[in-house]
Amino acid sequence: MRTRDLAYWLFLMPVLAAFIFVVVAPFLLGIYYSFTDWNGIETKGFVGFDHYIALFQDKRFLDSLWFTTKFSVVSVILINFIGLSLALLVTAKLKTSKVLRTVFFMPNLIGGLILGFIWQFIFTKAFAGFGAMFGIESLQGWLSTSSTGFWGLVIVMSWQMAGYIMVIYIAYLEGVSKELIEAAEMDGANAFQRFRYVVFPLVAPAFTVSMFLTLSNSFKLYDQNLSLTGGGPYESTQMVAMEIFNTAFGRYDMGYAQAKAVVFFVIVAVIALVQVYINKKREVEM
Amino acid sequence: MRKKYLIPLEILGITLAIIWLAPFYLMIVNSLKTKREIFEDTLKPPSSLTFDNYVQAFVELDFLKTFANSLIITVISVVVIIIFSSMAAYALSRTKSRFSTILLFVFIAAMLIPFQSVMLPLITIFGKIEMLNRFGLIFMYLGFGASLSIFLYHGALSSIPRSLDEAATIDGANRFQIFWYVIFPILKPITVTVGILNTIWIWNDYLLPSLVINKQGMETIPLKMFFFFGEYTKQWHLALAGLTLAIIPVIVLYFFAQREIIKGVSEGAVK
């Protein structure tokens, strides 16, 4: 097949058409719209960088950005820690290994919207019931403050994604050769040293992949945010994805929402690429 | 790991599994209670088994229809993604040209674009050409699903020797025959992975259908669940019965295909 062959183009055409209409054109058009006073139907004129200047002084947007950043940092650390721990646990030749894998992975199959609703019940009703039974005052009124809302989101995200990250770590852990570990043991390395100096460097590529996934998923979170806290109380748990949606469809400020969406893209892209770059470099050095 | 650690680890694992499953337990147990019983105690099992909540949720969710809507959209989208992404990946991998290289790079780079960045213009464009319907939705899933699917297929194709294509050419097969009769069957393991990853994502997607097919009678499960939940916010007995119904199809599928699902997800993430 050559680039000038008909077959080449016939094979590519359906995907290319969808990709151009669904991703490329909207993406480029979106950048154009962000410089105009677009209202969703028509553009009346250029506003230059007005939207971009405004969004850096927009408290709602900056708050949502800060909340998203805090959430992502905590989630990434927690999910990777739990995910790796679970992976080490289920690769330890337990009788229950298979069942455990199945259980830990299960939340990933259920959509974020539905998970958020289930957990809304757990936090508001079951936590309160549990707290009343054992006299733990702090379990009352979950999701009604911004800090319990924050931890609520972190818990749901960790519960959901840890099993996914576990699967990735398992794939790499199973690739670590037994001889290498046995050799280290013969040299007198204890369990911690064997993990730190033999296993951990070998699963470093898994860390790059899982950190990329957790980071970008945390940053782009929308469904769980919508169904668990709805951004409340008083928009204090509103993350960037939801803030953009509300600017567009709640306040019908389309051009402005699009400018936020462009900034959102730049942030996600920069974080993702920098993260991969740093981790790749670290992998080589180890 | 030495033997003496195995029993404590076994206990730790089981404890964690119980914690992991607790939300499902609480959901199911309370979905069988009356509104008053939930208010009195959320942790106890129900005093008597009644399925009234389920009957009402089933009717109000118009469950069979909603389920069928989800099924139609997911199955067609996934089949379309598999057919066209594998073909595109084949063209890109067997034609070494600067254009192919650039195109593959663009497909992969597009994975960095968050949905919110294309959402507003996308809905505007599809509104103008009157494609805010199921057909448009499936087309959109092809566009969004193409990147990862092509990436996975391309990786698998580079390990299939070209001599196989050449042998088929000598036998007189044309490009379509070579691909569909010789190459595509070899790609089966990666097709399973691509199918699983896209099914999980499309089945659970809420935002895109909410923007595209927000019409009565057309709703998918997540979409219908959102309206249903809004209506019964304070009536947990009904809301929980609805939520349980909504996740039953996924759990049933997981029960039958857990090995393939976990393997597919692991391969998709590791590649």
Side-chain angles (χ1 to χ4, degrees):
Chain A
M1 226 189 300
R2 302 213 183 88
T3 314
R4 59 173 188 271
D5 282 357
L6 183 63
Y8 180 75
W9 292 103
L10 285 176
F11 272 60
L12 270 180
M13 208 177 46
V15 161
L16 210 50
F19 187 68
I20 289 169
F21 271 99
V22 173
V23 181
V24 180
F27 182 69
L28 298 175
L29 204 59
I31 294 172
Y32 165 75
Y33 281 146
S34 72
F35 293 102
T36 69
D37 61 355
W38 182 46
N39 61 9
I41 300 157
E42 52 175 4
T43 53
K44 291 198 201 74
F46 270 94
V47 296
F49 283 93
D50 284 6
H51 290 320
Y52 289 93
I53 294 163
L55 66 84
F56 283 107
Q57 294 153 354
D58 182 339
K59 197 175 174 307
R60 271 195 183 121
F61 184 67
L62 296 180
D63 283 351
S64 72
L65 201 56
W66 175 232
F67 186 85
T68 309
T69 309
K70 273 195 301 185
F71 169 80
S72 303
V73 170
V74 175
S75 297
V76 167
I77 294 170
L78 217 57
I79 294 169
N80 277 284
F81 175 75
I82 300 172
L84 179 57
S85 307
L86 293 180
L88 289 170
L89 182 71
V90 301
T91 48
K93 288 199 187 86
L94 302 180
K95 285 196 189 72
T96 49
S97 222
K98 270 197 184 126
V99 182
L100 293 179
R101 282 179 207 211
T102 307
V103 169
F104 294 141
F105 184 78
M106 198 157 78
N108 286 287
L109 295 166
I110 300 162
L113 190 89
I114 287 170
L115 287 184
F117 284 143
I118 296 172
W119 276 92
Q120 197 186 322
F121 174 75
I122 308 295
F123 287 132
T124 55
K125 294 285 159 191
F127 266 37
F130 201 73
M133 202 185 212
F134 295 97
I136 307 169
E137 193 59 39
S138 59
L139 291 179
Q140 306 294 331
W142 266 63
L143 305 183
S144 65
T145 67
S146 86
S147 79
T148 51
F150 174 85
W151 288 108
L153 283 163
V154 169
I155 290 170
V156 174
M157 186 73 174
S158 308
W159 175 74
Q160 183 187 6
M161 264 202 97
Y164 194 96
I165 298 309
M166 169 194 78
V167 166
I168 298 173
Y169 279 115
I170 289 173
Y172 283 89
L173 281 171
E174 283 176 345
V176 175
S177 81
K178 301 264 174 330
E179 287 88 36
L180 221 53
I181 296 170
E182 275 161 20
E185 202 171 357
M186 296 236 262
D187 287 345
N190 63 33
F192 173 77
Q193 287 168 328
R194 288 198 301 274
F195 177 73
R196 173 66 188 85
Y197 297 105
V198 181
V199 178
F200 193 69
L202 289 168
V203 296
F207 185 72
T208 310
V209 176
S210 58
M211 192 156 155
F212 175 79
L213 282 170
T214 41
L215 198 57
S216 62
N217 280 355
S218 306
F219 228 87
K220 293 191 275 193
L221 197 72
Y222 177 78
D223 290 7
Q224 288 90 327
N225 194 194
L226 177 71
S227 57
L228 189 70
T229 67
Y234 306 110
E235 297 182 352
S236 65
T237 63
Q238 186 165 274
M239 298 176 67
V240 182
M242 189 190 260
E243 213 280 323
I244 292 170
F245 186 92
N246 289 343
T247 307
F249 297 110
R251 300 191 277 284
Y252 292 99
D253 211 343
M254 294 286 184
Y256 187 39
Q258 188 54 43
K260 289 178 178 176
V262 172
V263 170
F264 186 40
F265 159 72
V266 173
I267 294 171
V268 170
V270 167
I271 291 176
L273 295 175
V274 167
Q275 184 275 129
V276 171
Y277 175 76
I278 292 172
N279 276 324
K280 281 275 173 208
K281 237 175 95 182
R282 216 176 44 93
E283 268 174 39
V284 177
E285 280 169 7
M286 281 224 238
Chain B
M1 198 63 66
R2 280 192 206 95
K3 283 231 158 64
K4 63 172 179 174
Y5 294 121
L6 283 180
I7 288 168
L9 281 178
E10 205 82 65
I11 293 166
L12 176 69
I14 293 165
T15 313
L16 284 172
I18 291 169
I19 294 172
W20 240 253
L21 291 174
F24 295 116
Y25 166 78
L26 289 166
M27 172 183 75
I28 293 166
V29 156
N30 284 289
S31 71
L32 296 164
K33 293 179 187 171
T34 61
K35 194 179 176 186
R36 225 185 105 183
E37 230 183 325
I38 295 178
F39 180 74
E40 280 164 359
D41 195 339
T42 44
L43 305 178
K44 263 200 308 215
S47 55
S48 63
L49 282 184
T50 51
F51 290 92
D52 294 355
N53 298 340
Y54 280 88
V55 173
Q56 197 179 338
F58 194 88
V59 173
E60 304 241 343
L61 280 171
D62 200 351
F63 190 74
L64 290 180
K65 183 150 194 209
T66 312
F67 176 76
N69 288 342
S70 272
L71 198 64
I72 290 167
I73 287 168
T74 308
V75 169
I76 298 178
S77 301
V78 171
V79 169
V80 165
I81 289 172
I82 286 174
I83 293 174
F84 294 129
S85 300
S86 63
M87 284 168 64
Y90 179 65
L92 292 177
S93 85
R94 290 301 189 255
T95 306
K96 300 278 178 238
S97 69
R98 180 170 289 184
F99 181 77
S100 295
T101 316
I102 293 172
L103 203 55
L104 183 67
F105 176 77
V106 172
F107 275 123
I108 294 168
M111 284 193 257
L112 287 173
I113 301 175
F115 177 68
Q116 272 73 15
S117 304
V118 296
M119 171 175 78
L120 303 175
L122 176 74
I123 299 308
T124 309
I125 294 172
F126 278 70
K128 279 199 179 125
I129 57 174
E130 290 182 24
M131 281 266 281
L132 290 180
N133 51 36
R134 288 196 219 191
F135 186 75
L137 184 65
I138 291 164
F139 190 70
M140 289 180 197
Y141 281 137
L142 176 61
F144 288 124
S147 288
L148 181 65
S149 308
I150 289 179
F151 175 62
L152 290 171
Y153 272 123
H154 196 271
L157 278 160
S158 49
S159 64
I160 298 176
R162 263 161 191 268
S163 50
L164 213 62
D165 301 49
E166 282 151 17
T169 315
I170 293 164
D171 288 345
N174 66 35
R175 276 290 156 193
F176 287 89
Q177 288 165 331
I178 295 172
F179 180 69
W180 288 115
Y181 296 119
V182 181
I183 305 295
F184 190 75
I186 307 174
L187 291 171
K188 199 184 158 203
I190 209 75
T191 297
V192 173
T193 302
V194 169
I196 286 167
L197 291 175
N198 284 302
T199 303
I200 296 174
W201 155 58
I202 294 171
W203 181 269
N204 290 322
D205 192 26
Y206 160 75
L207 187 52
L208 192 55
S210 82
L211 294 166
V212 177
I213 46 161
N214 212 335
K215 271 200 208 83
Q216 230 179 357
M218 295 277 182
E219 298 100 332
T220 59
I221 290 178
L223 203 49
K224 192 83 178 179
M225 211 50 234
F226 184 74
F227 297 123
F228 179 79
F229 197 85
E231 232 169 290
Y232 297 104
T233 309
K234 299 284 173 237
Q235 305 193 44
W236 279 112
H237 58 300
L238 289 175
L240 291 171
L243 288 167
T244 310
L245 275 178
I247 68 170
I248 285 174
V250 180
I251 301 302
V252 170
L253 181 73
Y254 190 43
F255 188 77
F256 285 109
Q258 45 175 303
R259 260 192 59 200
E260 284 75 18
I261 291 173
I262 293 183
K263 204 166 149 266
V265 165
S266 138
E267 275 172 6
V270 171
K271 287 243 160 71

